[in-house]
Amino acid sequence: MKIDHLAIWVDDLEKMCEFYLNYFNVTSNEKYTNTKKGFTSYFLDFGEDKTRIELMNRQDIVQEPDKRGFMKGVAHFAISVGSKEAVNDLTERLRADDYTIESEPRTTGDGYYESVVLDPEGNYVEISM
């Protein structure tokens, strides 16, 4: 078994898709639209047989809490970039492009080397090796 995909409700579908395409080496399908339900989505693909991210938008889906990573449900997800150097490089690239680095690169108590960035809508994304 494996996780096929993680789905994220988003406000700005195009901005979020561009963020993940630009920084995480994913590809995207064509935008899916269901006009009857007011639903649109993109699937972001990390490669064959890998977990995907589905970005979804529907105007009637709203966010109540102020910080997405500190409520019941998904707190964060991690994207492995392969090495400490890649973690450091991507963290600095995101910082230079004015994204919030929530946690600097470090080795955690459970042995992961990671940093944490907030995506354009405040989701916590761990960048790990």
Side-chain angles (χ1 to χ4, degrees):
M1 293 184 207
K2 70 171 190 156
I3 294 174
D4 179 74
H5 69 275
L6 169 72
I8 305 170
W9 287 114
V10 302
D11 292 320
D12 189 331
L13 188 63
E14 302 303 326
K15 183 176 185 177
M16 290 289 282
C17 185
E18 184 59 33
F19 173 79
Y20 288 97
L21 286 170
N22 189 31
Y23 295 102
F24 293 99
N25 197 30
V26 294
T27 58
S28 175
N29 68 331
E30 294 293 319
K31 180 168 38 175
Y32 169 75
T33 301
N34 181 324
T35 55
K36 185 175 181 179
K37 292 185 177 184
F39 175 84
T40 55
S41 71
Y42 286 109
F43 269 98
L44 307 178
D45 193 333
F46 287 90
E48 188 174 333
D49 293 328
K50 301 212 175 159
T51 301
R52 300 174 296 158
I53 297 173
E54 181 181 14
L55 301 176
M56 308 179 305
N57 176 272
R58 216 174 67 192
Q59 293 303 308
D60 63 332
I61 303 296
V62 296
Q63 178 69 20
E64 296 297 328
D66 290 333
K67 291 184 92 175
R68 290 187 182 208
F70 291 92
M71 62 183 182
K72 300 282 182 181
V74 175
H76 69 268
F77 58 95
I79 299 175
S80 176
V81 296
S83 70
K84 285 184 176 183
E85 182 177 295
V87 170
N88 295 339
D89 290 348
L90 183 53
T91 302
E92 290 311 313
R93 183 174 162 214
L94 287 156
R95 184 190 323 275
D97 289 346
D98 228 14
Y99 288 97
T100 300
I101 307 304
E102 187 67 18
S103 180
E104 295 295 331
R106 73 209 183 287
T107 301
T108 63
D110 53 0
Y112 286 93
Y113 188 78
E114 66 184 38
S115 68
V116 178
V117 63
L118 301 184
D119 74 12
E121 294 193 5
N123 296 298
Y124 288 64
V125 181
E126 286 184 0
I127 303 167
S128 65
M129 62 173 247

